[in-house]
Amino acid sequence: MAFDAQEPSPVMRPVVRETYGPANLSAEPIFAGGFINFGYWRGIDLNAPLTEADRIRSQQALYRRVWDGAAPMEQLRLLEVGCGLGMGCALVLHERSPAEVTGMDIHSAQLSRAQDAHAALLEQLPGRLRFVQGAAELMPFADAEFDVVVSVEAAQHFPDLEAFAAETARVLRPGGRVAIASFFTAEGDAPSRRADLSQLLNTFANGLDIARPVTALTEALTASGLSDVRVESLGPQVWAGWDAWLSRLYSPDAWARNFLRAYERQILDYYLITARRV
């Protein structure tokens, strides 16, 4: 099964094109198992030596936490925005029994990898799994096409949260739900937060991750007509585990170890945002 590989509009930013194309972030050891998220580490002993199995378990757990925020999915049509290699798409098919799963990503290289990684599943479950190229700000889907929209650690890359929120509301059916997990600046002086993050973390300095408060997304969701917008900090279950895993691979002074420092300094946090279309 092929996907539409035409360049989506808006065109992806160069830093995103490089990171998820030639650089292939998904192949980095820190993202074991093909997932690309920081993980949800509740129930994993961080004082014991962490294994690759623990790392994969944490990444799967983050998906499950997001799905729980979107309510039951059995026999519903689900869209994942920023699906990467489609590992979450495959997992939800096995564990939550949705009727159909669509994985959308802006990057054709990621979608090619997803097609290869899940070739057997695509053949085994025709019509229940597909991968589509598209931008979060202009989704190539019909109005009210989905019952559930999820996005796991991708919104920090979206340049226009208002457009993303509007498109999410458009493609959801009435009564449909959205659940988004990502990291945002903690509340406070936004310009100061942006400057601090650019100094601490290379991904903010080079523009891969965009520093914004979580209210930028919640207000966009509300303005798009979605209701029951809720925010929950997942920081206590994310940052310590992420840093413990990084400590296996990086020295304490490596820039990536500054994610935990940014959280401890109340500059950055990790959130689950949920909402419903009336």
Side-chain angles (χ1 to χ4, degrees):
M1 181 184 299
F3 63 90
D4 183 355
Q6 295 180 358
E7 184 70 20
S9 180
V11 175
M12 78 181 85
R13 295 179 295 128
V15 65
V16 172
R17 183 185 299 279
E18 171 63 24
T19 301
Y20 294 100
N24 190 9
L25 186 65
S26 60
E28 292 294 321
I30 56 173
F31 297 114
F35 293 90
I36 312 176
N37 67 62
F38 291 171
Y40 185 81
W41 297 83
R42 175 174 285 175
I44 298 175
D45 185 358
L46 302 183
N47 295 314
L50 294 175
T51 66
E52 185 174 284
D54 292 325
R55 176 66 179 120
I56 294 172
R57 178 182 165 198
S58 79
Q59 294 176 103
Q60 293 173 333
L62 182 59
Y63 268 97
R64 295 185 186 109
R65 187 68 185 82
V66 172
W67 300 336
D68 289 345
M73 297 182 178
E74 289 75 9
Q75 299 308 307
L76 299 181
R77 300 162 298 169
L78 180 143
L79 168 67
E80 181 180 355
V81 179
C83 68
L85 271 65
M87 305 306 293
C89 295
L91 190 65
V92 74
L93 274 171
H94 289 304
E95 294 190 356
R96 302 295 172 106
S97 301
E100 301 172 5
V101 176
T102 298
M104 187 192 80
D105 203 278
I106 195 171
H107 208 306
S108 61
Q110 290 290 75
L111 294 171
S112 293
R113 295 171 187 135
Q115 293 283 142
D116 292 342
H118 306 293
L121 190 60
L122 288 163
E123 184 176 354
Q124 177 187 354
L125 300 176
R128 292 191 61 199
L129 175 63
R130 62 172 173 160
F131 294 107
V132 176
Q133 188 173 21
E137 300 84 2
L138 190 63
M139 302 183 193
F141 306 114
D143 294 355
E145 187 169 339
F146 299 100
D147 304 293
V148 178
V149 174
V150 300
S151 184
V152 178
E153 208 164 301
Q156 72 276 4
H157 300 325
F158 302 162
D160 189 339
L161 291 179
E162 292 181 353
F164 164 59
E167 282 292 90
T168 297
R170 181 184 67 79
V171 303
L172 272 176
R173 67 160 174 81
R177 293 192 61 83
V178 56
I180 302 157
S182 190
F183 45 96
F184 295 87
T185 62
E187 292 305 308
D189 180 23
S192 174
R193 296 284 190 262
R194 287 194 293 270
D196 289 343
L197 287 172
S198 291
Q199 291 180 348
L200 287 169
L201 295 161
N202 288 0
T203 53
F204 285 96
N206 68 17
L208 178 65
D209 298 326
I210 303 172
R212 294 163 296 197
V214 69
T215 52
L217 179 56
T218 59
E219 291 172 0
L221 293 170
T222 300
S224 73
L226 297 180
S227 65
D228 195 24
V229 179
R230 301 185 182 186
V231 179
E232 178 182 353
S233 168
L234 302 185
Q237 292 80 39
V238 172
W239 298 114
W242 173 238
D243 189 68
W245 174 252
L246 290 177
S247 71
R248 298 173 72 253
L249 304 166
Y250 297 103
S251 65
D253 60 349
W255 73 263
R257 303 291 300 278
N258 286 336
F259 279 102
L260 179 60
R261 296 183 182 105
Y263 171 62
E264 291 174 338
R265 289 170 55 183
Q266 299 183 334
I267 299 170
L268 189 71
D269 202 358
Y270 203 106
Y271 298 95
L272 174 65
I273 304 98
T274 59
R276 177 174 59 88
R277 182 181 172 190
V278 179

